[in-house]
């Protein structure tokens, strides 16, 4: 199964319009506030830190490059060719590798697994953006990428995040500048219940090893200068040894 053309076209349109440079889009916060925080919860559960690391839904590669400074082989994977163009432009030294991947297509995941072997996978805010029918296939593909030794870290906005975003969109001045294109391209977060995320993973044959709550930092601010953070949950999953 693969994603719908509407979903693919929405992401291509968004990234084709997006400006170059770190921080230009709503969720592209500094790695020290995002992947850096997440690694503190992820690394203790890695059975083999030397495995390839896949940044699934890498976008313009900000987090990918950060991860590539800490792991020996990092691959940024994204559905959007335009996003990968941004990522490659921002990484002229090639500290990471990049490739197009439909993460809801298990066959594509099997091809990547055949190339890399078992991998650790970092997933930030991808599942909630999927069409409902693509969420379980994405979890199944994730399990394929992990194999027997890999571990996955997923962080996803909670349903409460949608309330925050819709409140911002309906403000007197309209949505903040970096949120407006997200809404215009129909990339609003889906209402995925917190408890549904581990259920998708379990249905894919994975075990939830740890979980918790952590704000998801954005690049936007409220009119009073407060950084906008979205309520989110994180999960570490893999196969039991």
């Amino acid at each position: 199964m693969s994603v719908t053309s509407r979903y693919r076209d929405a992401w291509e349109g968004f990234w084709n319009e997006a400006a170059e440079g770190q921080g230009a889009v709503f969720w592209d916060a500094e790695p020290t506030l995002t992947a850096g925080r997440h690694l503190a919860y992820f690394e203790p559960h890695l059975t083999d830190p030397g495995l390839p690391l896949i940044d699934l839904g890498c976008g313009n590669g900000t987090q990918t490059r950060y991860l590539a400074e800490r792991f020996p082989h990092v691959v940024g994977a994204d559905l959007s060719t335009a996003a990968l163009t941004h990522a490659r432009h921002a990484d002229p030294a090639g500290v990471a590798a990049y490739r197009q991947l439909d993460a809801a297509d298990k066959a594509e995941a099997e091809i990547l697994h055949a190339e890399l072997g078992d991998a650790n996978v970092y997933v930030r805010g991808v599942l909630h953006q999927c069409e409902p029918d693509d969420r379980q296939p994405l979890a199944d593909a994730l399990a394929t990428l992990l194999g027997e030794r890999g571990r996955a870290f997923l962080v996803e906005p909670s349903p409460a995040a949608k309330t925050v975003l819709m409140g911002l969109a309906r403000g007197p001045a309209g949505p903040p500048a970096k949120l407006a294109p997200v809404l215009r391209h129909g990339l609003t977060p889906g209402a995925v219940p917190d408890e549904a995320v581990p259920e998708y993973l379990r249905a894919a044959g994975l075990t939830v090893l740890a979980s918790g709550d952590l704000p998801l930092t954005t690049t936007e601010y409220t009119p009073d200068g407060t950084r906008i953070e979205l309520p989110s949950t994180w999960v570490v999953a893999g196969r039991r040894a």
Side-chain angles (χ1 to χ4, degrees), residues 36-93:
R37 287 180 177 176
H38 299 150
L39 286 179
Y41 299 94
F42 189 24
E43 287 183 309
H45 297 281
L46 297 178
T47 58
D48 187 349
L51 292 177
L53 177 68
I54 301 170
D55 181 10
L56 190 61
C58 69
N60 63 1
T62 297
Q63 312 306 318
T64 317
R65 296 187 295 278
Y66 177 86
L67 294 168
E69 295 173 355
R70 288 151 181 81
F71 294 91
H73 182 38
V74 175
V75 177
D78 203 280
L79 174 68
S80 167
T81 57
L84 294 172
T85 297
H86 280 285
R88 292 185 178 106
H89 283 172
D91 187 10

Side-chain angles (χ1 to χ4, degrees), residues 69-221:
E69 295 173 355
R70 288 151 181 81
F71 294 91
H73 182 38
V74 175
V75 177
D78 203 280
L79 174 68
S80 167
T81 57
L84 294 172
T85 297
H86 280 285
R88 292 185 178 106
H89 283 172
D91 187 10
V95 298
Y98 303 93
R99 69 178 291 157
Q100 187 175 23
L101 179 73
D102 179 348
D105 190 330
K106 191 176 180 181
E108 291 195 22
E110 289 170 345
I111 292 170
L112 184 55
H113 182 262
E115 294 175 11
L116 298 179
D118 291 358
N120 297 314
V121 184
Y122 175 70
V123 188
R124 184 172 67 106
V126 175
L127 188 66
H128 80 281
Q129 284 284 3
C130 288
E131 303 283 355
D133 289 346
D134 287 330
R135 291 170 189 158
Q136 188 59 56
L138 185 143
D140 295 341
L142 177 61
T144 297
L145 294 171
L146 297 183
E148 295 301 318
R149 295 179 296 151
R151 294 289 184 263
F153 181 91
L154 295 87
V155 58
E156 295 290 338
S158 300
K162 188 170 186 177
T163 303
V164 174
L165 292 173
M166 292 305 98
L168 293 169
R170 297 181 184 125
K178 294 177 186 176
L179 179 58
V182 177
L183 301 175
R184 186 170 65 251
H185 287 281
L187 299 174
T188 52
V192 181
D194 292 341
E195 63 273 14
V197 176
E199 288 306 315
Y200 287 127
L201 298 173
R202 292 186 184 105
L206 300 174
T207 298
V208 173
L209 305 172
S211 62
D213 299 319
L214 195 66
L216 198 58
T217 305
T218 77
T219 60
E220 268 289 12
Y221 296 81

